[in-house]
Every structure is written in structure tokens, then in C-alpha cells.
Amino acid sequence: RSTWLNARWKDHLREASVTHILFEGNVSGARVEDLLERLQRQRDRRVVVVNSPGGTFEFFSILAPALARTGYNSVGFTVQSAAIILHLLGQKRFATEKSTFFFHEVSSVFDFTNGTVTVCELGEFLDREKEFRKKHGSREREVMVEWHRLMLQAQAWMLQFIQERTGIRAGLFLNLMRDNATLSGREAMQYGIVHKVISEDEFWNRTQDTTQ
């Protein structure tokens, strides 16, 4: 859930909408396509402010190159899950002292669970083959095996993407995902996710200079 980007900040962002684009809410293919179209239309310096709880990300393998070509810079506030990809596509990437970056493993919801299941948890469940077959059946297990393969593939893509954008090996980010880790703006800078931590005053008064 997006947190501290309150009404005052949103009012300022609306006033600065010529050069600042607020991306808030869930990440989806349709919303990212809309963002891309807006970035492609905008001739002035582009700054995307990311304040999102995440969402889906499979479409980024297609849209990421086009987004990167727009040359936008990103400022992360509350950046979770798939929203980290959107932030990392920024040519120059900024955060504030209050910014947070949340990681978790790829997950999904299945009929036989009471909530979301991570790719690791699903793999462990499938390894208990006799227990699974007793509760469900061979056909259901085949479906789950294929779904697990797709989840692994998606997570591998995300980890490779993060490694390429940060220069930090993927294994470190896998550990962050498995720990459900939240990084501060300064911690994210140590991991290459952020290039510079700026103050709130810098964001409003000097963004045009610091993001050139």
C-alpha cells in the first residue's frame, strides 16, 4: 500500500505535471502502456515519480526497451515488488530519506491455498508428491508443475533484469526477495537501485537540476 505521499505532495506534483508524471497504484500492462504513451508524447524533461504497491510484470520483457528509450528519470517513494522494475528503468534514479523499496518472491493464488503462495513454497509442496496426489490428483499436479515452471522463469527474468540495471549479482536480490526485505533510500543506493538520495526540499526546488 502506498504510504506517505500525501495530499500536499500530490498537489505539488499536479502543479509540476509538465515534467513530472506520478505513477501511483497497481502495476499492470494497461497502465504501463499508458505511461509509455505519455512519455513518448512528452518533449520536455521526463521525471516519473513511482509510488506503487506493485502488481504484475510479465509484460515488461516487451515494454522495458521502449520505456528505457524515452530516457526518463525516476524518483522512488513507496516502491514495492514489480514497481521496482519501473523505478530501475529510470536513466537516473533518485529517492528520499523516507523512501522504501520492498522485495518479495514471485507469488500466485491457487484454489488449494488460503492465500498467496511463493514460487519457493509451491516447489516445496510439489516435492511432496505423494501428499499432493492424495489431496488433489495427477492432472492438477501437472498444471501446478507447469505453473511453477512459469513462476521460476518470471523470477529469473526479474533477477537478471535487476542485476543488469544495478551491477549487483542476482543472488543478493534473491535473498532480499526470500526475506521479504524492505530497503530504505540509502540502503537502496548501496544496492545500485538508487543513484542519489535527495531531500524533500531538493525534490521540489532542485529536481530540474539534479535530474539532468
Side-chain angles (χ1 to χ4, degrees):
R1 184 176 61 180
S2 301
T3 54
W4 62 278
L5 192 59
N6 59 28
R8 180 181 66 84
W9 282 75
K10 292 177 184 178
D11 287 342
H12 282 305
L13 284 168
R14 279 191 286 270
E15 293 170 3
S17 60
V18 173
T19 54
H20 293 65
I21 300 172
L22 173 60
F23 187 97
E24 188 173 42
N26 290 336
V27 176
S28 68
R31 297 197 69 225
V32 172
E33 285 178 357
D34 288 343
L35 173 64
L36 175 59
E37 290 177 4
R38 184 172 177 185
L39 286 168
Q40 290 172 333
R41 291 195 307 267
Q42 193 160 314
R43 297 180 180 180
D44 296 312
R45 190 178 300 116
R46 305 171 180 93
V47 179
V48 176
V49 178
V50 183
N51 192 63
S52 168
T56 57
F57 67 92
E58 67 279 358
F59 46 84
F60 273 115
S61 60
I62 298 172
L63 297 179
L67 284 163
R69 283 194 296 271
T70 66
Y72 74 83
N73 299 312
S74 58
V75 183
F77 284 75
T78 300
V79 186
Q80 301 182 3
S81 184
I84 291 173
I85 299 175
L86 194 59
H87 176 77
L88 282 171
L89 282 166
Q91 186 176 23
K92 293 184 179 179
R93 305 186 291 271
F94 300 88
T96 73
E97 294 284 355
K98 293 182 180 179
S99 296
T100 56
F101 296 81
F102 173 69
F103 292 81
H104 69 79
E105 282 196 290
V106 168
S107 60
S108 189
V109 178
F110 300 97
D111 292 339
F112 62 87
T113 66
N114 294 322
T116 59
V117 176
T118 68
V119 62
C120 186
E121 290 169 340
L122 181 57
E124 292 173 353
F125 190 51
L126 289 171
D127 285 342
R128 301 194 295 271
E129 183 173 353
K130 289 183 179 179
E131 179 182 335
F132 190 99
R133 289 181 186 277
K134 182 178 179 180
K135 291 183 178 180
H136 303 286
S138 298
R139 176 55 186 164
E140 285 182 296
R141 187 176 190 282
E142 290 175 5
V143 172
M144 290 300 100
V145 167
E146 176 61 13
W147 195 251
H148 182 240
R149 184 188 69 81
L150 294 173
M151 290 172 70
L152 284 172
Q153 180 178 300
Q155 183 158 289
W157 181 90
M158 186 173 184
L159 287 167
Q160 180 62 31
F161 171 84
I162 296 174
Q163 177 176 287
E164 290 173 358
R165 299 297 291 183
T166 63
I168 305 295
R169 62 185 180 86
L172 290 177
F173 290 103
L174 178 59
N175 289 337
L176 291 177
M177 288 179 175
R178 288 176 173 171
D179 291 341
N180 291 327
T182 298
L183 303 181
S184 67
R186 294 206 174 276
E187 289 171 332
M189 189 165 63
Q190 295 175 355
Y191 280 88
I193 298 165
V194 170
H195 294 136
K196 184 179 180 181
V197 174
I198 57 177
S199 68
E200 294 180 22
D201 288 339
E202 282 181 300
F203 179 80
W204 297 123
N205 301 325
R206 296 177 52 200
T207 299
Q208 297 303 319
D209 296 326
T210 58
T211 58
Q212 288 184 36

